[in-house]
Each structure stands twice: as structure tokens, then as C-alpha cells.
Amino acid sequence: MARQRTRSKVHEAVLSLACESRVGTLTMEGVAARAGVSKQTLYRTWPSTGAILFDALLARSADEGGDVVVPDSGNLATDLEGLAVATIAELTDPTQEPLLRAVTAEIQSNEGLAAQFREMLLAPQLHGISDRLRRGGVTDPDGIAELFVAPIFHRWLLRSRPFDAAWVATHVARVLRASSVS
Amino acid sequence: MARQRTRSKVHEAVLSLACESRVGTLTMEGVAARAGVSKQTLYRTWPSTGAILFDALLARSADEGGDVVVPDSGNLATDLEGLAVATIAELTDPTQEPLLRAVTAEIQSNEGLAAQFREMLLAPQLHGISDRLRRGGVTDPDGIAELFVAPIFHRWLLRSRPFDAAWVATHVARVLRASSVS
Amino acid sequence: MARQRTRSKVHEAVLSLACESRVGTLTMEGVAARAGVSKQTLYRTWPSTGAILFDALLARSADEGGDVVVPDSGNLATDLEGLAVATIAELTDPTQEPLLRAVTAEIQSNEGLAAQFREMLLAPQLHGISDRLRRGGVTDPDGIAELFVAPIFHRWLLRSRPFDAAWVATHVARVLRASSVS
Amino acid sequence: MARQRTRSKVHEAVLSLACESRVGTLTMEGVAARAGVSKQTLYRTWPSTGAILFDALLARSADEGGDVVVPDSGNLATDLEGLAVATIAELTDPTQEPLLRAVTAEIQSNEGLAAQFREMLLAPQLHGISDRLRRGGVTDPDGIAELFVAPIFHRWLLRSRPFDAAWVATHVARVLRASSVS
DNA sequence: TCTTAACCGAGACGGTACGTCCGGTCTTTTT
DNA sequence: AAAAAGACCGGACGTACCGTCTCGGTTAAGA
């Protein structure tokens, strides 16, 4: 296992590289050079750049408290809209988007990473949302949470159409209609 | 640019390679060797393996008629369920899945390819669905089409949960509830 | 056989390219492009860049009259010195040197070209010199001509030492001593 | 840079290739394959096939003691004839000639290599000869050494005329006449 | 004058080699 | 003992030319 000092340097390096350069440009050699670490040190701990990046994201998320915070103002529609706006902001944040796209691309060809991603980043978020829905009286909170999140991801992943406030409002309205809550 | 005979050989090669080997293993050299074509011939026409793969998919889709066929039995729920099952079958078809995942990964880092993908493969499908919804009396067919398609893609892309008949039925029910159609 | 117009364009192109760029950079494609001629037109007439270059040199030498002119002032030493200076000037002329070095390098790996070079460019020069020596009463004009020319070439080919007036004078004196002429 | 084991493998490979195949056929890929070495290993240490070949020749010359041995029997004419015969034998040795021609061709377009060649291989030889001439009472040993060596090189380089015993004898006689030694 | 055959440009094509980059492994040296 | 430094093999990258090969268009004869 790598020492904490080394891990930090590597995390810092991989995040800065992933931000500044194009996705897919991430290389073990580049990370090693940026981190001032030998390649062997990387290989001792991580099998791929995807793994390093993911580890770095996890560590950062842990540092920042990491818990998904779903607002609860009592008004479900308002809360969902706020959540959508926050999610969209995170997905399109210039310092985050390249990282997330890199991880997404990696997931397509790496089942192990996909599983980790699901369990450690995706599941907590969905649980937070479905908890809020349950508190709002939704009878099928898991399904509705998916119905709420998927179109946002879909637009982002396939870069299909822009996100604007009108769409968010309409989307939330549709989701609430599906949830059988007046 | 490239002569038709050459294009065909290359399409055949890239499809067979994408199927049999792991995604991301596609290389220009490999395609050239399999197609019995020189590397320069590839580079003269396509800038990347992603572009070749996409071109091959387009050509195949054109060969096969290519039109998205949405069933119309009069019963919207039945039709949507059939459509979902067909889409899921296509996404998880062992000869298709590696190709689609490769293209999806490529899209994350290639805006141009993403645009082509949206316009030539995704848009027709969504239009087909929203047309069917409109005929079914849905007032917001585009939004509902997205609500219908996105969770299917979401589960497939993030490999989040398996597809089964029960989920399909529930999903269709949710979408119909959101569409304000009794 | 290539038409005269084509030959001229090609000769012009190859000479200009050989001058301006580094030796060994001459390529069939480059010559074809510069001459505004298709590659096939080149290959129909010449087997290699060396052959083109040599043909161009021959043509130019024919255009300019091409005969080797050995001065005959009555004083053999003076004439040889003048000849040495003229030869050195030609060898080190910036517009000639790259061409001659290119041909020389080509000769090392191309016996056919070497033979042509000997017969069409080298032999006339040596004959001119040995004629002058014979008129000067030298008993072994061919051998002495070689003794005169070889060190000049040697210094040029191996870039061994600079040419200066003092060396030329000494060299001519040595050669005359060897020629048994007082 | 390169480890000794690697250097040896590369030297061996380049010498065998230079001997068996035509000059100018030497390629970095070929040498790498023959030596069982990756291309990068070659490029890390040598910039061109010429440099490798030259390095190999130097190493071999160092291994074999490498000193130029000029015979000294007391009779200058006899010694020079022996030296000429030995030099000619070396230049026309089937296992040496391709190497030397390759290096000669390379020198035409590579000033750095030319300088190395002059200092490490040519200069020692000329010094050996001029030393012998000085011991023989020649007043201008350097100039005469050049006068002796140049025509031999000239004939070899330009493949002008064959070497035979009669020519060698005449040549030595001419040189000695030029040297002002009875 | 009208063929008709050679010449020509354009450039796709299968190749070989280029010189670079990176993936992983292994050795050497430093700390 | 762990780490940096980096040499090493393998293999793909994207480019430059190679020499061959159709394609149409254009000249320049001979019929």
C-alpha cells in the first residue's frame, strides 16, 4: 500500500491532469511525472488511470464530508427542482465535467470500476433522493428516483439538449405526476 | 474518398473486431490488418477507430432499411412495453453491446461524434417514440419519450440494475402516469 | 520517353530541391509535387532520385557547353594552380556542393550511377588535365592527373582540412615534383 | 546511457546486417529486430543507423587494439607498397567494404559524423603514415602522406579503376618522387 | 481531318520505415 | 526496506514515401 503522503501527491496530480487536459489523455507516465513519483509506485497500488482517478474522487468526496444532502423544505417539487439544479451544476462544472466524463468512459470497458462507481457514488445519491421522496409520501420512491435522475444523466451523457430552468420545472412536474402524488 | 470496395472491407473488419474483442482494444493497426488494408488508407478517410465504428454502424443501419419501427396496436401501454423489450434486447445483444459501449465511450471525449450520433441514430428513435405517443393522445410527447428512454439507457450505461419484465411493466406504468393519459 | 517539356520541369524541380534542402531529403514525391508532375511520369523515365539528379546535372552541363576547359598559358605550375582553384571553387560553391555530395552519396550504393558519373563527368575532366600535362612534357600524364585531382577530392569528401592558397601551391609543387619535370 | 549488454547486442546486429545486405538498407527497425531490442532503446542512445554503425566500428577497432601499424623495414618504398596493399585489401574486403561505403555515404550528409570519422579513424592512419615518412627522411611528411592515401581512396570511392600490383608500384614511385627523397 | 496511341495529372492503394509515446516489468541506485 | 530513477521490450500511434495501379483528359503523331 502506498503511503499517505504518496497517495495525496498522486491524487492531486491526477485531478489536476484530468481537469486541464482532454479526457483520455490521462496516462500512468504523465501522472507519475506530475506527482514526482516513479511509475512502479503507481503500479504497486493502482492497476489503471481509471482506478487512480476514481480513488482520487472518492478521497475528495470523503474529505468534503461526502454525504449527499437532499434538501427538505416540506415542498417536494421545490426540493426536487433544487436538487436537479444542483446536480446539473455539478455535472457541468468545468472542473468536474472532464473527470466525470473520463470515469464514465472508463466504466464502459471496466466492469469492476462500474461496480465501485455504482456502490460508492451513485447509490448514495439515489438513496438520498428516494428517502426524500418517501418522506414526501411517494409510494414507489426507488423507481421515481430513477425516473428523476435518468433524464438528467441522459442529456448530459449524450449531450443531447441543453439544461434550462424551464426544462427542469417541466421535468419535475412530469416526475411528480408519475409518482401518484397530487 | 475511399472506394466502395475498401469501405466495405473496413466496415466488415471493424464490426467483427469490435464484437469479438474487448472494447477499447480497437486499434487502427488491428483494423487495417483485419481488413487487408494499409493504415494510410484508413487515415485518409477516418480520423479514429471511433469514427470507423460509427461509419460502419451507420452503413449497416442504412443497409437494413434503418428506419425505427414503433408498433402501433392501439394499446399504448402494450406498444411501449414491446418497444422497451426490443430496445433492451438490442442493447444487450452480445453482438451489439460491445459496439454500442465503444461508441458511448468515444462520445464522452469526442463532441463531433456525439453530434453525429445524436442526429443520425438517437433522434430518429426518439422521434419514432414521440410520434407514437402523440397518436396515443399524449400532450407532451417529446418530454415523455425522453422520460421513457432515459431510464433504460441509464440502467444500461451505468450497469446499475438488471432488466426484467416486471421492471419494464412498472416503468411503462410510471411513464404513462406522467403523461396524464388515463 | 518523357517529353522535353516534362524533362525540363523535372530537372528544374530536382535542382532547386537539391539546393535548398538537406541532402538525402530528395524524394520522388517531393520532386513530382515541385515539378507539377505525377509520380508515374517520373517512374516512367527515371528509376530513382539519384538518376533524376544526375540527368539534370548532365543536361545542365550540356547546356552550358559542358567542356572542361584547362587553361594553357605555357606555365604548367600556374595553369595547375588555376585549375585547382577553379575546381575547389566549384566543389565548394554553395549551389553546387549539396548536389555533388548527394551524387557522391548515391554513388556509394549504386554501381550503375557510379559508372555513368565516371564516364560522363569525371573522365572528361581527367582527360582535360592529362592532355595539358602531356603538352607540358609530363611522361605519365594519366597517373599525374590522378595524383593532382585525388587529394582535392579527398579533402572535400572527408571534409578533412580547409582549402587555402598556400596548400594549393604546395600541392601543385608536390605533383610537379612527382611528374619528373623540372 | 545504454547498458553494456545492450550495446553489444546492437553492435553485433548492425555489423552483421551491414555485411549481409546492401548498403543503405540498414534501418532502425531492422537493427532493433535483429538485436532483439526495442526501437526506443536504439533511439535513446543513437540518432541514426549511421551513428550505430560508426559506434560499432569504433568499438570493434578498440577491441582489436585498434592501433594503425605501419611496417618499418628500413626500405621506404617496400613499406609503402605493403601499406598500400594492406589498405586496399581492407577497403575491398567483402566483409568491410559495405560498412565503409555506408559510413562514407553517411558522412556526405552528416557533418558531426564526418568529424568523428576524421578524428577517430582517419587521423590515426595518416599520422602513422606520416611518422613512417618522417623516419624515412621525408621533409614534408603530412603532405606526402595525403598524396599517398588520396589516390587510393579516390579510386575506391569513385570506383574509377581497379587496383593492381603494377599500379601500386607506380603510385608509390610517384609519391616518393614527390617527396624529394632519392 | 480524324483517329489512335502515347503521355500525362491525379490520387487511391498495399506496404515499409519512420520517430514518438505509453504500458508494464525489471534493475540499479539512493535514502 | 522502500522509493526514485530510468532502462528495457512490446506495440500502437500518426506520417512520409515507396512503387504500382487505375482512372479520365490531352497531345501528338499517322491514316
Side-chain angles (χ1 to χ4, degrees), chain C:
Chain C
M1 272 303 118
R3 288 198 292 235
Q4 193 47 48
R5 176 84 191 104
T6 304
R7 295 181 78 89
S8 306
K9 284 195 295 182
V10 171
H11 287 161
E12 212 169 305
V14 78
L15 289 177
S16 69
L17 281 174
C19 284
E20 79 197 33
S21 59
R22 278 190 54 262
V23 177
T25 307
L26 268 187
T27 66
M28 292 299 250
E29 296 218 327
V31 174
R34 171 70 62 98
V37 140
S38 87
K39 282 202 295 175
Q40 198 54 39
T41 299
L42 293 189
Y43 282 110
R44 238 192 309 271
T45 309
W46 301 276
S48 67
T49 53
I52 302 179
L53 183 52
F54 187 74
D55 195 30
L57 288 177
L58 263 189
R60 191 172 66 173
S61 133
D63 277 1
E64 296 171 352
D67 294 332
V68 181
V69 181
V70 180
D72 191 345
S73 66
N75 183 327
L76 189 52
T78 309
D79 289 353
L80 287 183
E81 284 188 29
L83 197 61
V85 167
T87 305
I88 290 167
E90 192 176 341
L91 289 175
T92 56
D93 174 358
T95 69
Q96 294 263 49
E97 182 159 8
L99 278 66
L100 295 170
R101 288 206 185 274
V103 171
T104 305
E106 188 79 16
I107 280 177
Q108 302 308 312
S109 60
N110 188 331
E111 172 58 39
L113 217 58
Q116 278 192 291
F117 182 78
R118 268 196 319 272
E119 287 163 27
M120 319 207 77
L121 294 178
L122 195 64
Q125 189 197 24
L126 279 172
H127 279 135
I129 298 171
S130 68
D131 281 353
R132 176 66 189 84
L133 291 170
R134 187 175 297 107
R135 282 197 303 278
V138 171
T139 53
D140 173 24
D142 287 345
I144 296 301
E146 194 180 35
L147 204 64
F148 170 68
V149 162
I152 299 176
F153 259 128
H154 189 255
R155 291 198 159 207
W156 181 76
L157 275 163
L158 302 177
R159 304 158 178 272
S160 46
R161 271 166 297 182
F163 298 106
D164 56 49
W167 179 80
V168 169
T170 323
H171 175 55
V172 168
R174 273 193 292 261
V175 169
L176 288 181
R177 241 178 288 137
S179 70
S180 312
V181 176
S182 65

Side-chain angles (χ1 to χ4, degrees), chain B residues 9-10 12-14 16-17 20 26-43 52:
Chain B
K9 284 194 296 182
V10 170
E12 212 169 305
V14 79
S16 69
L17 281 173
E20 78 198 31
L26 265 187
T27 64
M28 292 299 251
E29 296 219 327
V31 174
R34 170 69 62 98
V37 139
S38 85
K39 280 200 296 174
Q40 198 56 40
T41 298
L42 293 189
Y43 284 110
I52 301 179

Side-chain angles (χ1 to χ4, degrees), chain B residues 2 12 15 18 30 34 50-51 86 103-105 107 111 114 116 120 128 130 141 149-150 171:
Chain B
E12 212 169 305
L15 289 176
R34 170 69 62 98
V103 170
T104 305
I107 280 177
E111 171 58 41
Q116 278 192 291
M120 319 206 76
S130 69
V149 162
H171 175 55

Side-chain angles (χ1 to χ4, degrees), chain D residues 26-107:
Chain D
L26 266 187
T27 64
M28 293 298 252
E29 295 218 329
V31 174
R34 171 69 62 97
V37 141
S38 88
K39 283 203 293 175
Q40 198 57 40
T41 298
L42 293 189
Y43 283 110
R44 235 193 311 270
T45 309
W46 301 277
S48 67
T49 53
I52 302 180
L53 183 51
F54 186 75
D55 196 30
L57 288 177
L58 264 190
R60 190 173 67 174
S61 136
D63 278 1
E64 295 170 352
D67 294 332
V68 182
V69 181
V70 181
D72 190 347
S73 67
N75 184 328
L76 189 53
T78 308
D79 288 353
L80 286 183
E81 282 188 32
L83 197 59
V85 167
T87 305
I88 290 167
E90 192 176 340
L91 288 175
T92 57
D93 174 358
T95 68
Q96 293 263 49
E97 182 158 8
L99 277 66
L100 295 170
R101 287 207 186 274
V103 170
T104 306
E106 188 78 17
I107 280 176

Side-chain angles (χ1 to χ4, degrees), chain B residues 95-179:
Chain B
T95 69
Q96 293 262 52
E97 182 160 7
L99 278 66
L100 295 171
R101 288 207 185 274
V103 170
T104 305
E106 189 78 18
I107 280 177
Q108 301 311 311
S109 60
N110 189 331
E111 171 58 41
L113 219 57
Q116 278 192 291
F117 182 78
R118 268 195 320 272
E119 288 163 25
M120 319 206 76
L121 296 178
L122 195 65
Q125 188 197 24
L126 279 173
H127 278 136
I129 297 171
S130 69
D131 281 352
R132 176 66 188 86
L133 291 170
R134 186 175 297 111
R135 283 196 303 278
V138 171
T139 54
D140 174 24
D142 289 343
I144 297 301
E146 194 179 35
L147 205 63
F148 170 68
V149 162
I152 298 176
F153 259 128
H154 189 254
R155 292 199 157 207
W156 180 77
L157 275 162
L158 302 178
R159 304 160 177 270
S160 46
R161 272 167 295 184
F163 298 105
D164 55 49
W167 179 80
V168 169
T170 322
H171 175 55
V172 168
R174 272 192 292 260
V175 169
L176 288 180
R177 238 178 289 136
S179 70

